[in-house]
């Protein structure tokens, strides 16, 4: 059985079932998600390998070979047609065209499920999915259940990495108009023990860790790589539950009455992923699977769902491919774009650029074009690049410009300075994708360095010459 078969048996059927990694019903063999590739902007649907099984990641890899891919649709498996697509503007605009949010990279969150490769939805700040015309979801004070499997190590403090029930207008229409799972370390409203991240409920104009919008010591900081997060609500009763999605049981972090001002609820029934009810889109997080039920699931039903999730066997996948890098080595990165192949990734002051460098260049220039490979400051599965002439300073993106800045020790600096090498998109060397923005790659454009996406809104996202501009032959450093 899949999670939604279990909910059905419990009398609280799924009315939305989203996953890019697996079917959530044992009989489901339809599409899980749609990807769009950068080379020709065509799309394809990815289905499970077998009914009830794991996503056909190989089909994605084939379709997306030698180009970039975005996740355009996360299909609803419940039969209600409650698919998630690129979120429109609301109280806040997103960064994409016409104020839409960004779509997620199709390769940002590789995993294996019992050894079979699949991809989750790695969402950077600015990403969001939504359905403002959902059918069958709970409205007003009607009962519902939610679970999501998330990456417990990918979060931030911005508003709001949510999955669940929200406003149909993408605007804040008042307290109680949302009931969604929140995950992150936002401290504007509620908090739990420690420094976070926490599972909380976004009930609109407040993230709740318990009855009051303040510190509730029973809501723990989460440190699991894969976390099962649960929020459910019915008239004057709601709960937060959670656990390790890779082993063990769920715990109940809150179960009790509604907060003051949130009873009765005024749920609207739209569905959000990765954003707040008003399209606040500064949060980051990673989603693997999740559902919404109609009806308040019993703890016993959820415990069976947790066992099903654990049995799915989530393990983190490889973030790198192509020629390997060696921590501690000094490297140079040579451009592969025809006409630019004598240029190397270098810096002038804080600006990352490309410069023509040879073994007879000045020592200063040779050092400017040499980088020490270190373990990724933001993720140890990837790398950061320390300036040879300015130890303690690293290549990082800021507003998607590449800069050489001193490490200030913040989590933000680590995210901005971590890059995951892949096989070069043009078949040469490596492409270096940003860990925190996996739609973006180290690119030269007019001889300046950027964290660029393939066909995004910035000038330096120009799709012309993209594959060449993001492919670098890496060899020993000049210095
Ligand atoms: O409740 C927290 C956030 O407040 C909601 O997600 C958003 O709509 C509002 O800004
Ligand atoms: O480069 C994009 C973002 O810009 C970085 O993540 C952040 O540091 C800055 O706001």
């Amino acid at each position: 059985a899949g999670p939604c078969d279990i909910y059905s048996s419990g009398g609280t059927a799924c009315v939305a079932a989203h996953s890019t990694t697996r079917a959530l019903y044992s009989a489901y063999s339809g599409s899980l998600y749609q990807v769009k590739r950068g080379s020709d902007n065509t799309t394809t649907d990815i289905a499970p390998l077998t009914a009830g099984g794991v996503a056909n990641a190989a089909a994605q890899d084939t379709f997306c070979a030698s180009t970039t891919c975005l996740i355009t649709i996360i299909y609803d498996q419940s039969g209600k047609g409650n698919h998630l697509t690129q979120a429109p503007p609301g109280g806040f605009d997103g960064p994409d065209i016409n104020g839409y949010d960004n779509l997620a990279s199709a390769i940002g969150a590789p995993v294996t499920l019992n050894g079979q490769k699949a991809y989750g939805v790695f969402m950077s700040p600015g990403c969001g999915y939504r359905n403002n015309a959902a059918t069958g979801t709970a409205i007003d004070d009607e009962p519902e259940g939610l679970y999501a499997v998330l990456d417990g190590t990918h979060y931030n403090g911005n508003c709001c990495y949510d999955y669940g029930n929200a406003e149909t207008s993408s605007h804040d229409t008042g307290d109680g108009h949302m009931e969604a799972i929140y995950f992150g370390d936002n401290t504007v409203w509620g908090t739990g023990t420690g420094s976070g991240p926490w599972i909380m409920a976004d009930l609109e104009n407040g993230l709740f860790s318990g009855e009051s919008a303040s510190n509730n010591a029973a809501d723990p900081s989460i440190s699991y790589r894969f976390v099962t997060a649960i929020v459910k609500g019915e008239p004057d009763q709601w709960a937060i539950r959670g656990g390790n999605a890779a082993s063990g049981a769920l715990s109940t972090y809150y179960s009790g009455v509604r907060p003051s001002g949130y009873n009765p609820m005024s749920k609207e029934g739209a569905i959000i992923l990765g954003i707040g009810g008003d399209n606040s889109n500064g949060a980051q997080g990673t989603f693997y699977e999740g559902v919404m039920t109609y009806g308040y699931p019993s703890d016993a039903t959820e415990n069976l769902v947790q066992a099903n999730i654990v049995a799915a066997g989530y393990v983190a996948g490889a973030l790198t491919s192509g020629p390997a890098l060696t921590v501690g080595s000094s490297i140079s990165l040579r451009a592969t774009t025809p006409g630019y192949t004598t240029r190397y990734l270098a810096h002038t002051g804080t600006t990352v650029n490309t410069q023509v460098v040879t073994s007879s260049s000045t020592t200063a220039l040779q050092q400017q074009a040499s980088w020490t490979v270190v373990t990724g400051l933001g993720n140890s599965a990837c790398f950061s690049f320390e300036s040879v002439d300015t130890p303690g300073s690293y290549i990082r993106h800021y507003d998607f410009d590449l800069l050489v800045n001193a490490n200030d020790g913040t989590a933000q600096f680590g995210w901005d300075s971590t890059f995951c090498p892949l096989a070069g998109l043009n078949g040469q060397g490596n492409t270096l994708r940003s860990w925190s923005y996996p739609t973006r790659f180290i690119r030269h454009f007019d001889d300046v360095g950027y964290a660029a996406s393939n066909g995004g809104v910035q000038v330096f996202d120009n799709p012309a010459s993209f594959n060449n501009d993001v492919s670098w032959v890496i060899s020993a450093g000049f210095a």
Side-chain angles (χ1 to χ4, degrees):
C4 287
D5 303 308
I6 295 166
Y7 280 112
S8 287
S9 300
T12 51
C14 294
V15 291
H18 302 116
S19 177
T20 57
T21 64
R22 65 173 184 142
L24 300 177
Y25 295 82
S26 61
Y28 189 78
S29 58
S31 297
L32 299 173
Y33 62 105
Q34 182 192 70
V35 295
K36 181 174 79 169
R37 65 184 175 197
S39 54
D40 59 6
N41 286 316
T42 60
T43 60
T44 196
D45 288 337
I46 305 299
L49 288 161
T50 56
V54 174
N56 187 352
Q60 174 184 312
D61 290 342
T62 299
F63 182 76
C64 302
S66 303
T67 187
T68 54
C69 269
L70 299 172
I71 296 172
T72 35
I73 302 174
I74 305 167
Y75 290 108
D76 172 22
Q77 303 174 30
S78 78
K80 301 275 186 199
N82 291 331
H83 314 309
L84 293 171
T85 59
Q86 187 171 19
F92 294 92
D93 280 354
D96 206 356
I97 297 165
N98 296 326
Y100 275 67
D101 293 348
N102 285 328
L103 295 165
S105 165
I107 60 165
V111 288
T112 57
L113 276 68
N114 289 325
Q116 291 182 290
K117 185 178 179 184
Y119 293 101
V121 188
F122 184 108
M123 299 177 69
S124 310
C127 280
Y129 294 85
R130 192 166 192 126
N131 185 327
N132 280 342
T135 58
T137 49
I139 59 166
D140 297 327
D141 214 20
E142 292 175 353
E144 75 173 345
L146 308 165
Y147 90 82
V149 176
L150 306 171
D151 180 341
T153 66
H154 182 215
Y155 59 89
N156 68 14
N158 295 334
C159 179
C160 290
Y161 197 80
D162 289 351
Y163 174 71
N165 197 314
E167 291 95 338
T168 55
S169 62
S170 299
H171 286 264
D172 178 350
T173 50
D175 297 359
H177 286 248
M178 295 179 63
E179 186 172 74
I181 294 164
Y182 166 81
F183 186 73
D185 64 352
N186 183 295
T187 58
V188 172
W189 296 283
T191 53
T193 46
S195 55
W198 305 284
I199 303 167
M200 297 192 276
D202 190 342
L203 303 179
E204 189 51 280
N205 299 312
L207 303 177
F208 289 84
S209 55
E211 185 186 341
S212 64
S214 59
N215 183 271
N216 291 287
D219 198 31
S221 288
I222 299 290
S223 56
Y224 307 124
R225 172 61 177 78
F226 295 96
V227 55
T228 306
I230 286 183
V231 166
K232 55 182 169 179
E234 64 179 348
D236 207 15
Q237 163 65 35
W238 69 286
I240 304 173
R241 306 184 73 208
N244 182 345
S247 77
L250 296 172
S251 300
T252 300
Y253 302 151
Y254 175 76
S255 179
V257 299
R258 294 285 187 184
S260 167
Y262 291 79
N263 183 41
M265 294 287 283
S266 309
K267 290 176 250 191
E268 298 191 21
I271 307 173
I272 52 172
L273 173 59
I275 49 180
D278 57 6
N279 197 44
S280 297
N281 53 62
Q284 61 184 18
T286 298
F287 176 88
Y288 300 101
E289 59 177 77
V291 311
M292 300 171 69
T293 68
Y294 189 91
Y296 192 82
S298 68
D299 287 1
T301 294
E302 290 166 347
N303 295 345
L304 292 172
V305 169
Q306 164 69 2
N308 178 280
I309 294 165
V310 170
Y314 275 96
V315 172
L319 289 171
T320 62
S321 65
L325 300 191
T326 305
V327 168
S329 64
S330 169
I331 61 167
S332 62
L333 301 96
R334 184 176 61 75
T336 63
T337 307
Y340 297 83
T341 56
T342 57
R343 303 185 75 92
Y344 289 81
L345 193 71
H347 73 106
T348 302
T350 58
T351 299
V352 173
N353 53 24
T354 61
Q355 300 189 53
V356 177
V357 188
T358 70
S359 55
S360 31
S361 299
T362 63
T363 299
L365 180 55
Q366 291 191 45
Q367 289 186 347
Q368 285 163 19
S370 299
W371 307 94
T372 303
V373 178
V374 305
T375 300
L377 297 174
N379 186 314
S380 61
C382 296
F383 301 96
S384 295
F385 302 106
E386 186 177 14
S387 169
V388 162
D389 64 16
T390 317
S393 288
Y394 300 81
I395 298 176
R396 63 87 60 93
H397 59 84
Y398 190 90
D399 288 343
F400 309 120
D401 295 336
L402 290 183
L403 305 177
V404 173
N405 281 168
N407 179 9
D408 63 12
T410 60
Q412 183 73 51
F413 191 91
W415 302 332
D416 291 350
S417 62
T418 298
F419 297 91
C420 306
L422 303 173
L425 276 187
N426 73 353
Q428 298 181 60
N430 290 105
T431 289
L432 298 144
R433 79 164 175 81
S434 162
W435 175 77
S436 58
Y437 285 84
T439 58
R440 296 182 174 273
F441 303 82
I442 292 184
R443 179 189 197 169
H444 64 97
F445 189 85
D446 286 343
D447 302 330
V448 177
Y450 298 97
S453 67
N454 189 5
V457 297
Q458 285 94 350
V459 171
F460 52 79
D461 298 329
N462 191 330
S465 189
F466 188 83
N467 280 10
N468 287 330
D469 293 352
V470 300
S471 298
W472 305 87
V473 170
I474 295 179
S475 40
F478 289 99

